[in-house]
Amino acid sequence: MKLWDLARTANRNLFRAKLRTFLTVMAIFVGAFTLVMTNGVGDGLRDYVEMQVKTFEGERILFVRKKLPAELEEQANSSGPVEYKEATEDGEGNLIDPNSVVVSLEQIEGLKDKRPDVRSITPACRVNPEYISVQGGKKYQVGIGMLSEGVEQKLEAGKMFDGSDQIILPIHLARAYDENVGNLVGKTATLAYRVGNDRELRSRDLTIAGVATRGMISNLNAFVDTETAKAIYTEQNGDTPNFNYFNNFTIQLERADSELLESTKERLDKLGFVGLGIADIEKRTYDAIGILQVGLNVFALVALLAASFGIINTLVIAVMERTKEIGLQKALGMGRFKVFLLFSIESVLIGFWGAMLGIVSAIGIGSAANAFLSATYLESFEGFSLFAFRPLALGAVLLLVCAIAFVAGVMPAIRASRLDPIEALRYE
Amino acid sequence: MLETSELRRTFTSDAVDYEVLKGIDLRIERGESVAIVGKSGSGKSTLMHLLACLDRPTSGRISFEGRDYLSLSEKERDRLRNEKFGFVFQQFFLNGRDTVYENVVLPMRIRGAADKDLRPKAMSALESVGLGDKHAKRAKDLSGGEKQRVCIARALVGGPDVIFADEPTGNLDSKTSRTIEDLMLTLNRDKGITVVIVTHDEDLAAKCGRTINLKDGMVVDELGEDDEAGEAGEQI
Ligand SMILES: Nc1ncnc2c1ncn2[C@@H]1O[C@H](COP(=O)(O)OP(=O)(O)OP(=O)(O)O)[C@@H](O)[C@H]1O
Ligand SMILES: [Mg+2]
């Protein structure tokens, strides 16, 4: 029999037992539907996070921190007290202090001198603001971040810094002053902060360079340029013992080159630092979502597993019911493999129709849910769709369900293929 | 064309051996019409299944056109049955919900024939059994005699050399039986198809060119009806 004839015969056989086929297809449908939905939630989340995380760009940038004492230890997971160790020199004149996670400015700057492919190294200067006010308007609380040279923030309006004493406002804050945030670009924002033991209030006028696009990390923070951050940092910390000791710094490379990025990371690793590119940071987030997604999908797969027993059951009954028919086909010269194929195709078809139904209804219900949720509960999560359906993922579900159905059909199909035609024709 | 020597078939059930065929030597020539007769349980069906390559003997040999069945692979056995043999059974084994046409073309589909080649073959087979106008009917809507004629058309459609029939009239009234018998023997006479018919029906056996009488697993006497002297198999 030709494959096409087999498929047609298989389809006809399924239709002959309409109710039974329908019920089995429904079981598969439930599993496939669940799988598409759980996977869709993961992808929806991933899309959303991507939208959020992608507010930063900078292919030449590495965010660096010193390794934690535990990461330096041979037995990193020992839970006992960590022994104090004397600082050592690394041979290039740098002091390596295994007891602390902060790095001195000299050491940070020392890193640059020896690397021709490093354009700049910027310590992350922390700023503790008191309030912000635009054009002498209402005062608001605000967080301040520093954008190192080479890190790009996606902007709703305006452009990145082109000098010092500049600020980028988060969109919420900007909207509080002007719904049309573009109007704020070029205007003056006053940033107030406290200095010294007597908490003297000082302020600085900054030019608004732009307004940041809404993002997960940067939703509440305003950003200032490195010069400004450094200046305020110095004012606030200049007389403390921790001055010019930093937790983090960024390295800007001369070229956006993934090999250079990797080799720099390796070198940093040897020097006792951890360097992460923006891609690495994104990957961590995606990995977390991936784990969540796998967890959800496991539930759907359990449903599919249960449904596959339905397929086995249906086909076992079909083989019994059609013993004579199979016997006749074999007597008339149909080979074992073709009989096997016939039942396998029936099995895969059940999977196929179940998966198609599941996919179509999941898209329908998912889209309706998206529309409903974004108008109600998820209104504040602009641009977030709970379910995202990617053609590739849908195709994968279809294939997977068909594969599961095929496997479920193997046992009954082998039974059918092994029927002895004489026995089968005699069978009452 | 069909030849057996020292053919034995033993069935084992509940650890007891039943020797159903105890050494059968046979020759059936091309174009013969042969009736296999004998009491119930004498091994007629068993013999036919062996001849038709549906079953394997416990010992002894069978060959078709000089090809020993033992030398055939599973695939070759399937092909032999599909291409050279046609089958008619006591039960019809028709697919009631399918059309007469679909039932008839089954052997051709199994062979993998192209759709366009099916129609002329099926129609001519149906014409031969006088059912040319019923091809679009559901098989379940036919009378018993018509059903058996569909089965004959199905046996005929692939252009077989031999048609094996196991009690083809066993389920039919005597008048319908005569039609089926005549039909089978007409095919034998006009198309030169060898027919091997297992039957209880003495009328039918009498119409065949030769009768093989089985008793206790042995051929007891072999008679050519037209030639009592036993020059069996020469007439066409
Ligand atoms: N698969 C089997 N297992 C065990 N015994 C079998 C098997 N097939 C046939 N037999 C036995 O072999 C004997 C001959 O069977 P067979 O079907 O050939 O008889 P028959 O001559 O065709 O009888 P009938 O006229 O009733 O159809 C019977 O006794 C039957 O019980
Ligand atoms: Mg019998």
Side-chain angles (χ1 to χ4, degrees), chain A residues 420 422-423 426, chain B residues 9-13 18-21 37-49 55 90 166-167 198-200 214:
Chain A
D420 172 11
I422 303 172
E423 290 290 326
R426 207 208 313 266
Chain B
R9 181 68 168 103
T10 306
F11 291 109
T12 311
S13 59
Y18 299 97
E19 192 168 36
V20 175
L21 298 179
V37 298
K39 279 197 305 211
S40 182
S42 56
K44 307 182 292 294
S45 297
T46 306
L47 176 60
M48 192 204 88
H49 293 150
D55 193 11
Q90 178 174 357
D166 195 347
E167 309 202 28
V198 172
T199 185
H200 277 123
L214 283 186

mmCIF file of all heavy atoms in Angstrom, chain A residues 420 422-423 426, chain B residues 9-13 18-21 37-49 55 90 166-167 198-200 214, ligand 1:
data_model
loop_
_atom_site.group_PDB
_atom_site.id
_atom_site.type_symbol
_atom_site.label_atom_id
_atom_site.label_comp_id
_atom_site.label_asym_id
_atom_site.label_seq_id
_atom_site.Cartn_x
_atom_site.Cartn_y
_atom_site.Cartn_z
ATOM 1 N N ASP A 420 -1.804 -13.433 13.059
ATOM 2 C CA ASP A 420 -1.701 -14.494 12.065
ATOM 3 C C ASP A 420 -2.987 -14.468 11.243
ATOM 4 O O ASP A 420 -4.082 -14.573 11.797
ATOM 5 C CB ASP A 420 -1.536 -15.829 12.796
ATOM 6 C CG ASP A 420 -1.607 -17.000 11.848
ATOM 7 O OD1 ASP A 420 -1.570 -16.768 10.615
ATOM 8 O OD2 ASP A 420 -1.706 -18.144 12.331
ATOM 9 N N ILE A 422 -4.557 -16.515 9.377
ATOM 10 C CA ILE A 422 -5.484 -17.653 9.475
ATOM 11 C C ILE A 422 -6.281 -17.577 10.768
ATOM 12 O O ILE A 422 -7.504 -17.684 10.787
ATOM 13 C CB ILE A 422 -4.721 -18.992 9.410
ATOM 14 C CG1 ILE A 422 -3.910 -19.070 8.119
ATOM 15 C CG2 ILE A 422 -5.672 -20.164 9.500
ATOM 16 C CD1 ILE A 422 -2.993 -20.270 8.073
ATOM 17 N N GLU A 423 -5.534 -17.350 11.858
ATOM 18 C CA GLU A 423 -6.198 -17.206 13.153
ATOM 19 C C GLU A 423 -7.217 -16.083 13.096
ATOM 20 O O GLU A 423 -8.337 -16.198 13.584
ATOM 21 C CB GLU A 423 -5.157 -16.871 14.235
ATOM 22 C CG GLU A 423 -4.215 -18.002 14.574
ATOM 23 C CD GLU A 423 -4.944 -19.122 15.312
ATOM 24 O OE1 GLU A 423 -5.869 -18.815 16.078
ATOM 25 O OE2 GLU A 423 -4.591 -20.303 15.093
ATOM 26 N N ARG A 426 -10.324 -16.887 11.216
ATOM 27 C CA ARG A 426 -11.151 -17.889 11.868
ATOM 28 C C ARG A 426 -11.891 -17.299 13.060
ATOM 29 O O ARG A 426 -12.984 -17.706 13.406
ATOM 30 C CB ARG A 426 -10.260 -19.042 12.338
ATOM 31 C CG ARG A 426 -11.001 -20.370 12.424
ATOM 32 C CD ARG A 426 -10.377 -21.270 13.455
ATOM 33 N NE ARG A 426 -8.937 -21.330 13.326
ATOM 34 C CZ ARG A 426 -8.298 -22.272 12.622
ATOM 35 N NH1 ARG A 426 -8.952 -23.196 11.990
ATOM 36 N NH2 ARG A 426 -6.985 -22.278 12.581
ATOM 37 N N ARG B 9 1.224 -31.410 8.447
ATOM 38 C CA ARG B 9 0.933 -30.245 9.289
ATOM 39 C C ARG B 9 0.419 -30.758 10.618
ATOM 40 O O ARG B 9 -0.550 -31.527 10.674
ATOM 41 C CB ARG B 9 -0.121 -29.347 8.622
ATOM 42 C CG ARG B 9 -0.453 -28.095 9.427
ATOM 43 C CD ARG B 9 0.740 -27.136 9.456
ATOM 44 N NE ARG B 9 0.395 -25.822 9.961
ATOM 45 C CZ ARG B 9 0.694 -25.385 11.204
ATOM 46 N NH1 ARG B 9 1.306 -26.182 12.049
ATOM 47 N NH2 ARG B 9 0.368 -24.163 11.572
ATOM 48 N N THR B 10 1.108 -30.363 11.669
ATOM 49 C CA THR B 10 0.736 -30.796 13.011
ATOM 50 C C THR B 10 0.378 -29.574 13.836
ATOM 51 O O THR B 10 1.087 -28.576 13.806
ATOM 52 C CB THR B 10 1.927 -31.522 13.670
ATOM 53 O OG1 THR B 10 2.347 -32.571 12.800
ATOM 54 C CG2 THR B 10 1.521 -32.107 15.010
ATOM 55 N N PHE B 11 -0.735 -29.622 14.494
ATOM 56 C CA PHE B 11 -1.085 -28.541 15.417
ATOM 57 C C PHE B 11 -0.844 -29.016 16.835
ATOM 58 O O PHE B 11 -1.129 -30.169 17.160
ATOM 59 C CB PHE B 11 -2.556 -28.144 15.277
ATOM 60 C CG PHE B 11 -2.852 -27.459 13.984
ATOM 61 C CD1 PHE B 11 -3.598 -28.094 12.994
ATOM 62 C CD2 PHE B 11 -2.392 -26.168 13.742
ATOM 63 C CE1 PHE B 11 -3.877 -27.457 11.806
ATOM 64 C CE2 PHE B 11 -2.672 -25.532 12.549
ATOM 65 C CZ PHE B 11 -3.412 -26.177 11.579
ATOM 66 N N THR B 12 -0.339 -28.144 17.633
ATOM 67 C CA THR B 12 -0.129 -28.489 19.037
ATOM 68 C C THR B 12 -1.054 -27.624 19.873
ATOM 69 O O THR B 12 -0.986 -26.402 19.799
ATOM 70 C CB THR B 12 1.324 -28.222 19.456
ATOM 71 O OG1 THR B 12 2.175 -28.809 18.482
ATOM 72 C CG2 THR B 12 1.611 -28.805 20.817
ATOM 73 N N SER B 13 -1.941 -28.260 20.591
ATOM 74 C CA SER B 13 -2.702 -27.462 21.557
ATOM 75 C C SER B 13 -2.733 -28.193 22.880
ATOM 76 O O SER B 13 -2.899 -29.408 22.920
ATOM 77 C CB SER B 13 -4.108 -27.155 21.040
ATOM 78 O OG SER B 13 -4.805 -28.336 20.798
ATOM 79 N N TYR B 18 -1.683 -32.754 17.236
ATOM 80 C CA TYR B 18 -2.680 -33.320 16.322
ATOM 81 C C TYR B 18 -2.100 -33.266 14.931
ATOM 82 O O TYR B 18 -1.874 -32.176 14.397
ATOM 83 C CB TYR B 18 -3.974 -32.517 16.360
ATOM 84 C CG TYR B 18 -4.637 -32.498 17.722
ATOM 85 C CD1 TYR B 18 -4.448 -31.429 18.603
ATOM 86 C CD2 TYR B 18 -5.458 -33.567 18.129
ATOM 87 C CE1 TYR B 18 -5.039 -31.408 19.843
ATOM 88 C CE2 TYR B 18 -6.059 -33.553 19.382
ATOM 89 C CZ TYR B 18 -5.846 -32.474 20.242
ATOM 90 O OH TYR B 18 -6.434 -32.467 21.468
ATOM 91 N N GLU B 19 -1.863 -34.398 14.367
ATOM 92 C CA GLU B 19 -1.339 -34.388 13.007
ATOM 93 C C GLU B 19 -2.518 -34.330 12.053
ATOM 94 O O GLU B 19 -3.245 -35.302 11.871
ATOM 95 C CB GLU B 19 -0.480 -35.622 12.726
ATOM 96 C CG GLU B 19 0.286 -35.466 11.431
ATOM 97 C CD GLU B 19 1.363 -36.513 11.240
ATOM 98 O OE1 GLU B 19 1.144 -37.667 11.646
ATOM 99 O OE2 GLU B 19 2.413 -36.168 10.660
ATOM 100 N N VAL B 20 -2.746 -33.177 11.474
ATOM 101 C CA VAL B 20 -3.924 -32.963 10.640
ATOM 102 C C VAL B 20 -3.665 -33.425 9.213
ATOM 103 O O VAL B 20 -4.513 -34.053 8.584
ATOM 104 C CB VAL B 20 -4.328 -31.479 10.679
ATOM 105 C CG1 VAL B 20 -5.471 -31.215 9.722
ATOM 106 C CG2 VAL B 20 -4.720 -31.088 12.096
ATOM 107 N N LEU B 21 -2.491 -33.129 8.694
ATOM 108 C CA LEU B 21 -2.125 -33.621 7.357
ATOM 109 C C LEU B 21 -0.948 -34.577 7.519
ATOM 110 O O LEU B 21 0.044 -34.257 8.168
ATOM 111 C CB LEU B 21 -1.753 -32.458 6.436
ATOM 112 C CG LEU B 21 -2.862 -31.442 6.167
ATOM 113 C CD1 LEU B 21 -2.360 -30.326 5.262
ATOM 114 C CD2 LEU B 21 -4.093 -32.113 5.552
ATOM 115 N N VAL B 37 -12.493 -32.085 -1.046
ATOM 116 C CA VAL B 37 -13.644 -32.494 -0.248
ATOM 117 C C VAL B 37 -13.192 -33.392 0.905
ATOM 118 O O VAL B 37 -12.037 -33.807 0.967
ATOM 119 C CB VAL B 37 -14.714 -33.236 -1.104
ATOM 120 C CG1 VAL B 37 -15.260 -32.317 -2.177
ATOM 121 C CG2 VAL B 37 -14.133 -34.509 -1.706
ATOM 122 N N GLY B 38 -14.103 -33.642 1.785
ATOM 123 C CA GLY B 38 -13.788 -34.474 2.942
ATOM 124 C C GLY B 38 -14.661 -34.063 4.102
ATOM 125 O O GLY B 38 -15.319 -33.021 4.059
ATOM 126 N N LYS B 39 -14.643 -34.891 5.125
ATOM 127 C CA LYS B 39 -15.486 -34.614 6.273
ATOM 128 C C LYS B 39 -14.995 -33.372 7.010
ATOM 129 O O LYS B 39 -13.855 -32.947 6.853
ATOM 130 C CB LYS B 39 -15.462 -35.812 7.226
ATOM 131 C CG LYS B 39 -16.382 -36.931 6.799
ATOM 132 C CD LYS B 39 -16.632 -37.864 7.963
ATOM 133 C CE LYS B 39 -15.314 -38.364 8.534
ATOM 134 N NZ LYS B 39 -15.362 -39.698 9.100
ATOM 135 N N SER B 40 -15.862 -32.854 7.823
ATOM 136 C CA SER B 40 -15.461 -31.716 8.654
ATOM 137 C C SER B 40 -14.307 -32.129 9.552
ATOM 138 O O SER B 40 -14.326 -33.200 10.149
ATOM 139 C CB SER B 40 -16.646 -31.260 9.497
ATOM 140 O OG SER B 40 -16.282 -30.150 10.255
ATOM 141 N N GLY B 41 -13.293 -31.298 9.593
ATOM 142 C CA GLY B 41 -12.137 -31.601 10.431
ATOM 143 C C GLY B 41 -11.117 -32.475 9.753
ATOM 144 O O GLY B 41 -10.117 -32.853 10.347
ATOM 145 N N SER B 42 -11.334 -32.767 8.473
ATOM 146 C CA SER B 42 -10.406 -33.660 7.788
ATOM 147 C C SER B 42 -9.146 -32.922 7.322
ATOM 148 O O SER B 42 -8.202 -33.538 6.850
ATOM 149 C CB SER B 42 -11.103 -34.319 6.597
ATOM 150 O OG SER B 42 -11.620 -33.318 5.739
ATOM 151 N N GLY B 43 -9.149 -31.602 7.446
ATOM 152 C CA GLY B 43 -7.923 -30.863 7.101
ATOM 153 C C GLY B 43 -7.981 -30.126 5.773
ATOM 154 O O GLY B 43 -6.952 -29.717 5.240
ATOM 155 N N LYS B 44 -9.197 -29.943 5.238
ATOM 156 C CA LYS B 44 -9.336 -29.286 3.925
ATOM 157 C C LYS B 44 -8.818 -27.852 3.968
ATOM 158 O O LYS B 44 -8.013 -27.441 3.121
ATOM 159 C CB LYS B 44 -10.815 -29.279 3.484
ATOM 160 C CG LYS B 44 -11.487 -30.628 3.505
ATOM 161 C CD LYS B 44 -12.915 -30.560 3.005
ATOM 162 C CE LYS B 44 -13.858 -29.790 3.925
ATOM 163 N NZ LYS B 44 -14.082 -30.433 5.237
ATOM 164 N N SER B 45 -9.315 -27.116 4.955
ATOM 165 C CA SER B 45 -8.888 -25.712 5.052
ATOM 166 C C SER B 45 -7.393 -25.624 5.296
ATOM 167 O O SER B 45 -6.695 -24.789 4.725
ATOM 168 C CB SER B 45 -9.633 -25.007 6.169
ATOM 169 O OG SER B 45 -11.009 -24.977 5.897
ATOM 170 N N THR B 46 -6.921 -26.521 6.153
ATOM 171 C CA THR B 46 -5.495 -26.523 6.457
ATOM 172 C C THR B 46 -4.678 -26.714 5.185
ATOM 173 O O THR B 46 -3.695 -26.009 4.940
ATOM 174 C CB THR B 46 -5.188 -27.644 7.462
ATOM 175 O OG1 THR B 46 -6.045 -27.480 8.597
ATOM 176 C CG2 THR B 46 -3.750 -27.620 7.898
ATOM 177 N N LEU B 47 -5.103 -27.655 4.359
ATOM 178 C CA LEU B 47 -4.393 -27.906 3.107
ATOM 179 C C LEU B 47 -4.434 -26.668 2.208
ATOM 180 O O LEU B 47 -3.431 -26.270 1.614
ATOM 181 C CB LEU B 47 -5.014 -29.113 2.390
ATOM 182 C CG LEU B 47 -4.424 -29.424 1.006
ATOM 183 C CD1 LEU B 47 -2.924 -29.718 1.100
ATOM 184 C CD2 LEU B 47 -5.152 -30.613 0.356
ATOM 185 N N MET B 48 -5.623 -26.073 2.139
ATOM 186 C CA MET B 48 -5.744 -24.897 1.277
ATOM 187 C C MET B 48 -4.843 -23.754 1.765
ATOM 188 O O MET B 48 -4.182 -23.099 0.978
ATOM 189 C CB MET B 48 -7.195 -24.427 1.220
ATOM 190 C CG MET B 48 -7.410 -23.407 0.124
ATOM 191 S SD MET B 48 -8.835 -22.362 0.428
ATOM 192 C CE MET B 48 -8.097 -21.070 1.390
ATOM 193 N N HIS B 49 -4.820 -23.559 3.061
ATOM 194 C CA HIS B 49 -3.964 -22.495 3.600
ATOM 195 C C HIS B 49 -2.500 -22.726 3.260
ATOM 196 O O HIS B 49 -1.757 -21.792 2.969
ATOM 197 C CB HIS B 49 -4.130 -22.402 5.125
ATOM 198 C CG HIS B 49 -5.490 -21.933 5.544
ATOM 199 N ND1 HIS B 49 -6.082 -22.313 6.722
ATOM 200 C CD2 HIS B 49 -6.393 -21.126 4.917
ATOM 201 C CE1 HIS B 49 -7.286 -21.761 6.811
ATOM 202 N NE2 HIS B 49 -7.491 -21.037 5.724
ATOM 203 N N ASP B 55 0.020 -20.434 5.402
ATOM 204 C CA ASP B 55 0.470 -21.208 6.557
ATOM 205 C C ASP B 55 1.762 -21.910 6.164
ATOM 206 O O ASP B 55 2.095 -21.991 4.974
ATOM 207 C CB ASP B 55 -0.623 -22.240 6.898
ATOM 208 C CG ASP B 55 -0.391 -22.876 8.263
ATOM 209 O OD1 ASP B 55 0.463 -22.380 9.011
ATOM 210 O OD2 ASP B 55 -1.077 -23.870 8.560
ATOM 211 N N GLN B 90 -15.743 -18.414 3.085
ATOM 212 C CA GLN B 90 -17.143 -18.668 3.404
ATOM 213 C C GLN B 90 -17.795 -17.405 3.959
ATOM 214 O O GLN B 90 -18.866 -17.006 3.546
ATOM 215 C CB GLN B 90 -17.218 -19.803 4.427
ATOM 216 C CG GLN B 90 -18.631 -20.113 4.866
ATOM 217 C CD GLN B 90 -18.671 -21.335 5.774
ATOM 218 O OE1 GLN B 90 -17.660 -21.964 6.027
ATOM 219 N NE2 GLN B 90 -19.857 -21.675 6.238
ATOM 220 N N ASP B 166 -12.608 -21.125 0.026
ATOM 221 C CA ASP B 166 -12.896 -22.033 1.140
ATOM 222 C C ASP B 166 -14.393 -21.990 1.421
ATOM 223 O O ASP B 166 -14.888 -21.025 1.985
ATOM 224 C CB ASP B 166 -12.088 -21.604 2.368
ATOM 225 C CG ASP B 166 -12.068 -22.701 3.434
ATOM 226 O OD1 ASP B 166 -12.874 -23.661 3.316
ATOM 227 O OD2 ASP B 166 -11.256 -22.592 4.367
ATOM 228 N N GLU B 167 -15.080 -23.036 0.987
ATOM 229 C CA GLU B 167 -16.532 -23.125 1.136
ATOM 230 C C GLU B 167 -17.231 -21.839 0.706
ATOM 231 O O GLU B 167 -17.908 -21.193 1.503
ATOM 232 C CB GLU B 167 -16.892 -23.474 2.579
ATOM 233 C CG GLU B 167 -16.108 -24.694 3.019
ATOM 234 C CD GLU B 167 -16.750 -25.426 4.170
ATOM 235 O OE1 GLU B 167 -17.986 -25.349 4.303
ATOM 236 O OE2 GLU B 167 -16.017 -26.093 4.917
ATOM 237 N N VAL B 198 -12.488 -25.518 -1.710
ATOM 238 C CA VAL B 198 -12.786 -26.411 -0.595
ATOM 239 C C VAL B 198 -14.301 -26.419 -0.442
ATOM 240 O O VAL B 198 -14.921 -25.351 -0.374
ATOM 241 C CB VAL B 198 -12.142 -25.907 0.712
ATOM 242 C CG1 VAL B 198 -12.622 -26.719 1.892
ATOM 243 C CG2 VAL B 198 -10.620 -25.952 0.594
ATOM 244 N N THR B 199 -14.906 -27.604 -0.414
ATOM 245 C CA THR B 199 -16.372 -27.618 -0.324
ATOM 246 C C THR B 199 -16.926 -28.892 0.291
ATOM 247 O O THR B 199 -16.298 -29.949 0.262
ATOM 248 C CB THR B 199 -16.997 -27.401 -1.721
ATOM 249 O OG1 THR B 199 -18.400 -27.310 -1.573
ATOM 250 C CG2 THR B 199 -16.647 -28.536 -2.657
ATOM 251 N N HIS B 200 -18.094 -28.743 0.870
ATOM 252 C CA HIS B 200 -18.887 -29.886 1.320
ATOM 253 C C HIS B 200 -19.892 -30.282 0.277
ATOM 254 O O HIS B 200 -20.510 -31.327 0.354
ATOM 255 C CB HIS B 200 -19.678 -29.490 2.580
ATOM 256 C CG HIS B 200 -18.883 -29.592 3.824
ATOM 257 N ND1 HIS B 200 -18.701 -28.522 4.668
ATOM 258 C CD2 HIS B 200 -18.211 -30.634 4.370
ATOM 259 C CE1 HIS B 200 -17.960 -28.910 5.675
ATOM 260 N NE2 HIS B 200 -17.647 -30.186 5.518
ATOM 261 N N LEU B 214 -10.085 -35.878 1.039
ATOM 262 C CA LEU B 214 -9.238 -36.014 2.218
ATOM 263 C C LEU B 214 -9.933 -36.855 3.273
ATOM 264 O O LEU B 214 -11.118 -36.699 3.527
ATOM 265 C CB LEU B 214 -8.949 -34.639 2.825
ATOM 266 C CG LEU B 214 -7.914 -33.747 2.141
ATOM 267 C CD1 LEU B 214 -7.671 -32.505 2.978
ATOM 268 C CD2 LEU B 214 -6.613 -34.499 1.918
HETATM 269 N N1 LIG C 1 -4.584 -23.448 14.678
HETATM 270 C C1 LIG C 1 -5.029 -24.668 15.030
HETATM 271 N N2 LIG C 1 -4.701 -25.161 16.227
HETATM 272 C C2 LIG C 1 -5.127 -26.366 16.601
HETATM 273 N N3 LIG C 1 -5.861 -27.163 15.839
HETATM 274 C C3 LIG C 1 -6.217 -26.732 14.626
HETATM 275 C C4 LIG C 1 -5.818 -25.445 14.156
HETATM 276 N N4 LIG C 1 -6.301 -25.288 12.905
HETATM 277 C C5 LIG C 1 -6.986 -26.417 12.642
HETATM 278 N N5 LIG C 1 -6.928 -27.264 13.642
HETATM 279 C C6 LIG C 1 -7.530 -28.588 13.687
HETATM 280 O O1 LIG C 1 -7.180 -29.251 12.502
HETATM 281 C C7 LIG C 1 -8.247 -30.014 12.054
HETATM 282 C C8 LIG C 1 -8.531 -29.710 10.609
HETATM 283 O O2 LIG C 1 -8.995 -28.398 10.510
HETATM 284 P P1 LIG C 1 -9.507 -27.761 9.167
HETATM 285 O O3 LIG C 1 -9.977 -26.415 9.448
HETATM 286 O O4 LIG C 1 -8.455 -27.916 8.136
HETATM 287 O O5 LIG C 1 -10.735 -28.730 8.819
HETATM 288 P P2 LIG C 1 -11.729 -28.645 7.604
HETATM 289 O O6 LIG C 1 -11.559 -29.885 6.863
HETATM 290 O O7 LIG C 1 -11.552 -27.365 6.890
HETATM 291 O O8 LIG C 1 -13.112 -28.656 8.374
HETATM 292 P P3 LIG C 1 -14.432 -27.875 8.017
HETATM 293 O O9 LIG C 1 -15.063 -28.624 6.920
HETATM 294 O O10 LIG C 1 -15.246 -27.972 9.278
HETATM 295 O O11 LIG C 1 -14.055 -26.479 7.694
HETATM 296 C C9 LIG C 1 -9.409 -29.769 12.962
HETATM 297 O O12 LIG C 1 -9.520 -30.833 13.870
HETATM 298 C C10 LIG C 1 -9.026 -28.515 13.695
HETATM 299 O O13 LIG C 1 -9.525 -28.540 15.005
#
